[in-house]
Amino acid sequence: MNQPPAQWSPQQILRSGIQVSTQSPPALVPFQGFAWCFWINVRTGAETGTVQYAKFVNGAWTAPIPARDENGAEIQERWPTDARPVLAATVLDSDLHLLYTGYNANVTEQTKPVMARHLQYVADTDRWIIKAGPVEGSKMTSLGCSVHEGKLRAIWRTSNGRLMTAIYTTQWLDAIQLDVKPADGTGSMAIARLGLNLDVFVYNNDPPNRLLDFSFDKTTGKISKTRAYDFPSSMPKGNLSAFALADHIWIISHSQSTKNCSIVQCNSKGDFQQQTLKDALSLVTPAIVAVANTLVCVWNDFQSGELRYATRTAFPMPDMANWMSALPDDKKITRVTIPGTHDSGAISYVPFVGCQMMDIRTQLNNGIRYFDLRAGYGFGGTAAEPRVHHDLYPILANNIGPLKWDSIPKYFQGIPITDVFKVFYQFLDEHKNEGLVVQIKHDGKGVDPLKGVLVDTDEKWHIKLSNDIWEKINQGTDSRYWLLESKIPTVKQLRGKIQLLRRFLNAFGPSEANLNPGEISNLPTLREKYGIALLQGWTEAPKEALIPVSFANGQVKDKIKLQDYYNVQWEQSDDYPSLAAKKFAITKVLLDESSSPNADQDIWYLNFSSGVRKSLLKGWINQAHTIATGFWHSPWIPIVNPYGVNAELVRYFSEKPTGSFGTIIMDFPEQPPDLMAAIVRTNFSF
């Protein structure tokens, strides 16, 4: 670590004007592109409390939200006067899981020991399912949970110092004791997912400030010590919490006696830097999390119990909403590593339709700069203007942000693509040093379900879309946002602009399609400048395509090298144990080529990590969410493969933290939560 860590912001109360005071320690988790904070609304002397949470959106916390069960009732719990709940949260597939200790509020007797409770949040219903917890009968002093081997794993420390673990599949399996014997039985433990492994941190007494790091191997599932950190004697020894981002871990140590908190940032080499949260005297162990490139720490004020927080950047680069501001003006986009989304507007729980969970604005705030939009005309082609599609299906959810499902009647024909454009314009007005690349494709391939015609091969749809998009991006002052030259821009040229990549016809032109002019009347004029044309050279075959973009002196100057092998043909083998493994191997070819010292500086690498497999081959069915994250995007379908392409990308960029890797176009890039920051970080050396 060559640079000192960024400074923490001054502490603030969680929600201005609303007192959030509790004896419960907070739990933090990244979900849907935001930080979520959980706590139990219990105070000194109180017997019952409610489970509550808030979201960190655009630099501020929402008002507290009570967790409600499937019937809409607030979830309440009870505690004895000598107990304090501990909480942990993680994301498995598309659902949040919250674990905490407590009594059932409806149970009157106080003799039942503290047990772990389990709540599962279902995003599309905004309700919590109450499940049986992993253990009862042993008081927990600290609790953590994470995803490991495609399953939810809970790890806790008991009052006698033992470390226990249990795994959840469809129910919790029996708890087992870990073969870890820390000499200190009074401190807590913390867990963090580092790459594909799950790490457990505990203090040892010999020497007194040695922190031991144990790791679950992703292949064997066994735990073993991987490293030890000998922290300074000034580091307060006590309870722990931790979070990992890319190849770095942030560990908080909290002294129960002095209430002081110290934060240590460690890298995979064992180097560390220590920071103190100034004036942050915490009643219980603070929680820490990272969303994009922002670290968020939440704690309880030791006197009032009031929840407070502070933030700082994780890595010495701009925040994810402004990361391009630090790039040199003369740098060509071909040499910038750009995170992008495939089917950027496709927020849906319909199998083989949904490709994203973040709305467009949240994608922008989290660093996404390449957007793959699909445009059609609603069910049956009856919409008057272009709508956001995925294949034949218009996207019904309000995907422009904030995400709401109550707009479905209004948007039954799909979101107007101009609504997405307005979000782009607003973002660029607020972040003038950022730039966007927007690829627009005519979607609707196949047979129109209502008219029975081949939509994609009917030239009139291409021409209609061409005219409509041209009109939309040239009306009023909107034209000032669009770059329509057929050349690859520099960073300076892209600032405040949108480079159009066009996967539809330029009205009509024999260079782009073999159409018979006699079959179509009233043909529009071919536009000279209408973005970078990609329709002809695009391929979905396993082999990459090289598409010419611009010419100089009769020679091809700028080129795009494309990989969009989305319908991956796959047979299970030792080399490719899963479809995701094969898709990552295909993606890695262009990552390696783009970052090679011998890479052609004039080639723009467009590299799709997204994929799908609709075949019933050997019983394997993989939709976009499965390949990206390892999980099926529905609560009733079992896990197919515990590691998706996105986790492999995180590991790849942890091993290669800097370089020019091209544009990586992904499904569900917020899973794992450190992926987008890991990609953006490659543009900066520190």
Side-chain angles (χ1 to χ4, degrees):
M1 300 182 192
N2 299 323
Q3 299 185 30
Q7 295 300 306
W8 287 91
S9 67
Q11 60 176 284
Q12 303 177 62
I13 61 173
L14 194 75
R15 177 73 177 180
S16 179
I18 301 177
Q19 187 179 29
V20 181
S21 181
T22 176
Q23 300 294 301
S24 159
L28 290 169
V29 64
F31 184 57
Q32 295 180 335
F34 308 114
W36 294 48
C37 180
F38 295 89
W39 67 92
I40 309 295
N41 192 30
V42 59
R43 301 178 183 179
T44 303
E47 293 185 351
T48 61
T50 56
V51 180
Q52 297 189 347
Y53 59 98
K55 306 174 190 178
F56 193 62
V57 180
N58 297 328
W61 291 96
T62 64
I65 305 168
R68 299 183 181 275
D69 63 20
E70 294 175 280
N71 297 317
E74 293 186 7
I75 299 174
Q76 294 191 348
E77 293 294 341
R78 169 175 289 178
W79 289 268
T81 56
D82 62 344
R84 179 178 288 137
V86 291
L87 300 86
T90 194
V91 177
L92 177 68
D93 190 11
S94 302
D95 297 328
L96 265 175
H97 292 261
L98 177 67
L99 301 181
Y100 58 93
T101 58
Y103 289 86
N104 190 308
N106 297 321
V107 177
T108 57
E109 70 272 13
Q110 293 291 310
T111 57
K112 196 173 184 180
V114 174
M115 61 182 177
R117 313 280 292 168
H118 180 190
L119 301 181
Q120 178 181 344
Y121 177 74
V122 182
D124 55 341
T125 62
D126 199 28
R127 291 291 183 264
W128 294 82
I129 301 172
I130 301 176
K131 296 178 174 288
V135 68
E136 55 181 293
S138 179
K139 187 174 180 180
M140 297 178 178
T141 60
S142 54
L143 171 66
C145 62
S146 187
V147 176
H148 183 244
E149 285 293 300
K151 303 176 181 66
L152 179 63
R153 181 185 287 274
I155 303 174
W156 62 95
R157 197 164 190 180
T158 65
S159 55
N160 60 8
R162 293 184 302 164
L163 281 175
M164 307 293 294
T165 186
I167 291 175
Y168 176 83
T169 52
T170 56
Q171 62 182 14
W172 287 98
L173 305 181
D174 291 340
I176 60 172
Q177 182 174 347
L178 294 175
D179 187 22
V180 176
K181 299 178 177 63
D184 184 73
T186 59
S188 68
M189 64 91 211
I191 67 173
R193 184 175 175 179
L194 185 60
L196 301 184
N197 293 330
L198 182 60
D199 285 37
V200 182
F201 302 94
V202 293
Y203 268 124
N204 197 355
N205 266 339
D206 186 18
N209 268 56
R210 172 166 289 178
L211 188 74
L212 303 180
D213 178 357
F214 296 85
S215 178
F216 284 90
D217 184 83
K218 80 176 188 70
T219 303
T220 65
K222 295 182 179 180
I223 190 169
S224 59
K225 187 174 75 172
T226 56
R227 62 180 66 86
Y229 302 98
D230 289 324
F231 290 156
S233 58
S234 60
M235 179 96 170
K237 182 178 180 181
N239 295 330
L240 299 168
S241 63
F243 189 82
L245 181 66
D247 59 342
H248 284 63
I249 304 170
W250 286 265
I251 302 170
I252 297 180
S253 185
H254 170 251
S255 170
Q256 292 178 311
S257 58
T258 67
K259 309 302 181 185
N260 287 317
C261 306
S262 188
I263 301 178
V264 171
Q265 177 179 341
C266 311
N267 63 20
S268 57
K269 299 177 182 179
D271 304 323
F272 63 86
Q273 295 173 327
Q274 182 183 355
Q275 274 188 311
T276 299
L277 273 175
K278 187 177 180 181
D279 300 327
L281 300 179
S282 181
L283 179 67
V284 289
T285 312
I288 190 168
V289 75
V291 177
N293 190 42
T294 300
L295 286 173
V296 183
C297 182
V298 178
W299 67 92
N300 311 62
D301 180 74
F302 86 105
Q303 291 182 326
S304 65
E306 187 177 56
L307 288 179
R308 301 187 179 185
Y309 77 99
T311 63
R312 54 154 278 201
T313 56
F315 301 119
M317 63 184 191
D319 65 81
M320 296 294 279
N322 296 286
W323 66 268
M324 294 184 73
S325 64
L327 298 177
D329 280 345
D330 60 352
K331 194 168 190 176
K332 206 168 183 179
I333 291 300
T334 58
R335 296 289 87 200
V336 180
T337 308
I338 301 175
T341 48
H342 156 259
D343 256 302
S344 305
I347 299 174
S348 175
Y349 281 88
V350 177
F352 300 102
V353 175
C355 297
Q356 305 299 330
M357 285 188 68
M358 294 188 295
D359 59 64
I360 297 295
R361 181 62 197 227
T362 303
Q363 291 180 39
L364 287 161
N365 291 342
N366 279 269
I368 299 299
R369 295 295 178 265
Y370 182 105
F371 293 85
D372 168 20
L373 297 180
R374 311 300 174 93
Y377 288 90
F379 289 115
T382 57
E385 59 180 312
R387 307 290 175 131
V388 179
H389 266 240
H390 182 174
D391 205 35
L392 289 174
Y393 307 100
I395 302 303
L396 303 183
N398 183 355
N399 58 16
I400 55 178
L403 180 60
K404 293 181 182 296
W405 294 93
D406 56 6
S407 301
I408 288 179
K410 176 182 177 182
Y411 293 113
F412 185 72
Q413 287 289 4
I415 305 295
I417 200 167
T418 50
D419 285 6
V420 179
F421 292 169
K422 291 175 184 176
V423 177
F424 293 153
Y425 303 156
Q426 181 184 21
F427 179 81
L428 291 175
D429 287 343
E430 297 169 356
H431 303 81
K432 298 185 183 300
N433 287 319
E434 301 302 294
L436 308 179
V437 180
V438 174
Q439 168 211 309
I440 302 176
K441 174 183 181 288
H442 171 249
D443 241 351
K445 182 186 291 185
V447 178
D448 187 309
L450 300 182
K451 294 186 175 180
V453 297
L454 290 172
V455 176
D456 200 53
T457 58
D458 191 341
E459 298 90 348
K460 70 176 184 180
W461 293 105
H462 269 278
I463 294 174
K464 178 173 174 55
L465 180 65
S466 178
N467 289 335
D468 287 345
I469 295 296
W470 180 264
E471 177 186 350
K472 302 303 181 186
I473 66 178
N474 283 285
Q475 61 184 1
T477 60
D478 292 353
S479 61
R480 64 190 171 94
Y481 294 101
W482 293 89
L483 292 180
L484 300 180
E485 297 276 355
S486 182
K487 68 176 185 179
I488 299 173
T490 63
V491 169
K492 182 177 181 179
Q493 292 166 339
L494 191 60
R495 294 197 195 281
K497 304 289 185 179
I498 304 170
Q499 175 64 58
L500 175 64
L501 304 186
R502 179 170 48 80
R503 290 182 67 190
F504 54 84
L505 293 175
N506 180 356
F508 175 80
S511 63
E512 293 192 334
N514 296 317
L515 305 181
N516 183 353
E519 295 179 357
I520 306 174
S521 59
N522 301 319
L523 291 177
T525 304
L526 180 67
R527 283 119 184 167
E528 181 180 353
K529 296 180 180 179
Y530 202 177
I532 297 174
L534 297 178
L535 182 64
Q536 275 293 89
W538 200 276
T539 180
E540 295 161 354
K543 189 175 181 179
E544 303 89 10
L546 194 63
I547 305 173
V549 173
S550 64
F551 299 84
N553 300 321
Q555 301 295 318
V556 176
K557 178 172 174 51
D558 292 334
K559 300 174 283 293
I560 284 178
K561 195 161 191 178
L562 166 77
Q563 180 278 121
D564 185 23
Y565 183 39
Y566 78 92
N567 191 13
V568 185
Q569 304 300 309
W570 167 70
E571 292 279 356
Q572 190 171 13
S573 67
D574 292 338
D575 291 334
Y576 303 118
S578 69
L579 193 150
K582 182 170 184 180
K583 178 61 188 183
F584 173 72
I586 294 168
T587 305
K588 182 176 179 294
V589 172
L590 284 198
L591 293 175
D592 291 343
E593 183 178 326
S594 177
S595 59
S596 167
N598 301 319
D600 188 331
Q601 304 292 301
D602 292 327
I603 292 181
W604 187 1
Y605 291 86
L606 300 185
N607 199 0
F608 283 74
S609 65
S610 54
V612 71
R613 179 63 171 152
K614 299 180 182 180
S615 171
L616 294 175
L617 176 67
K618 293 187 176 181
W620 293 90
I621 308 175
N622 290 260
Q623 59 169 328
H625 196 266
T626 315
I627 296 172
T629 71
F631 301 98
W632 188 268
H633 196 35
S634 297
W636 55 85
I637 303 294
I639 293 169
V640 176
N641 170 53
Y643 294 105
V645 175
N646 291 358
E648 296 290 351
L649 285 170
V650 169
R651 181 167 64 174
Y652 179 90
F653 289 117
S654 295
E655 296 170 354
K656 296 184 176 183
T658 59
S660 300
F661 296 92
T663 299
I664 303 101
I665 304 141
M666 304 165 283
D667 288 331
F668 306 99
E670 76 284 353
Q671 303 178 49
D674 45 357
L675 175 55
M676 290 177 285
I679 292 174
V680 169
R681 190 180 68 151
T682 63
N683 293 294
F684 307 96
S685 298
F686 49 85

